[in-house]
Structures are given as structure tokens and as C-alpha cells.
Amino acid sequence: MSETKSWKEYYDYMKQKAPLTIYYPICGGGEECITACPYGEKIWDVKPMKVSLFGFNEKVRLRPVMKNPELCKECYLCVEACPTGALRAKDKPVKHPLLTLIYSTLKLPFKKKYNIKFVFRSEHVEKFRRNNGR
């Protein structure tokens, strides 16, 4: 049985291979990105990784990773759908995680493209619970 990788390994993989990066410590794991992506299951996968919020209480969580980044059309619908701001274009990485999380949370009610109903659908709440071990 292989050891579970750190989120940093997946972050580096995405940085090298994909047009997007995910700053996993603030990713909620609700899989909104996969649902929003027109190629969802073809591009994305969910992997167990060691992750912690701001370096506290590291646990194994399920998080999205691009398994086939070469199929990405760079439409950035997944970036728009991300409620935490963790998913970004590679050239616009998360610099201040706490500020990004606060800003993204405050912006949620004002999202016009997907609106609050998309982000808080029961399907995503269920995936959030499953992916966070609850």
C-alpha cells in the first residue's frame, strides 16, 4: 500500500502539467470545479492527499486533481465555480490564502454566472462531507 502524498506534490504536479493550480489548504473539496467543467470526468479525478488548513490539523482528504490536463480547453468555468478561490490559472497563484478565502466567501452571494444555488446544491454539500471525512 502506497503512502498518501502531501498536497504539495499535487500542487507541483498541477503547476508543471496543467494550465491551472489548486491551493489545496483552502480547497473545500465540494467538487464544484468538476461539475462546472464541460469535460468533468474526462479531465478531473479525486485523490486522497494530506492537507491541512493553514498548517494545522493535517488529515487525509479527497481533493480534485487534473488527471488529463492536456484535455483542458482553458475555458475557466471551473475557476469561476470554485467557491473558495483555491482554483486559479497557473499564472495567477494564490498569494495570500486567508485573504483569498475571505474575499471568495464574501463574493459568493454576488456570483452571477453560477449564483448561490450552484455552489450550495445538495450534491456539493454531500461531496464536501464525503471528501472531508464527515
Side-chain angles (χ1 to χ4, degrees):
M1 188 159 133
S2 65
E3 188 177 324
T4 304
K5 296 179 184 178
S6 165
W7 69 268
K8 292 173 187 169
E9 291 183 54
Y10 290 103
Y11 180 83
D12 290 340
Y13 163 80
M14 294 275 289
K15 199 171 181 180
Q16 290 173 3
K17 305 281 185 189
L20 307 167
T21 59
I22 300 175
Y23 188 77
Y24 290 104
I26 61 172
C27 173
E31 298 181 30
E32 292 89 349
C33 51
I34 298 172
T35 302
C37 178
Y39 303 97
E41 301 299 323
K42 292 178 184 172
I43 294 177
W44 294 94
D45 198 3
V46 178
K47 300 274 188 185
M49 62 184 74
K50 293 178 189 170
V51 70
S52 63
L53 186 61
F54 306 113
F56 298 103
N57 200 17
E58 183 177 76
K59 292 185 178 182
V60 174
R61 305 278 193 215
L62 294 171
R63 294 292 182 260
V65 177
M66 285 185 143
K67 64 181 174 186
N68 295 308
E70 69 280 359
L71 298 177
C72 179
K73 305 295 184 206
E74 297 182 46
C75 65
Y76 300 113
L77 290 173
C78 56
V79 174
E80 289 291 322
C82 181
T84 64
L87 181 60
R88 298 284 188 90
K90 184 167 36 179
D91 60 347
K92 296 179 181 175
V94 170
K95 292 181 182 157
H96 305 287
L98 182 58
L99 294 176
T100 298
L101 186 60
I102 291 169
Y103 174 75
S104 297
T105 303
L106 293 173
K107 181 171 96 166
L108 276 176
F110 303 104
K111 284 193 172 195
K112 302 251 187 259
K113 209 168 204 175
Y114 294 99
N115 75 39
I116 200 106
K117 291 177 188 167
F118 175 85
V119 176
F120 291 112
R121 287 198 332 215
S122 59
E123 136 191 23
H124 300 296
V125 171
E126 199 52 46
K127 288 177 182 180
F128 173 84
R129 287 185 181 132
R130 181 194 72 212
N131 292 348
N132 289 293
R134 293 183 184 156

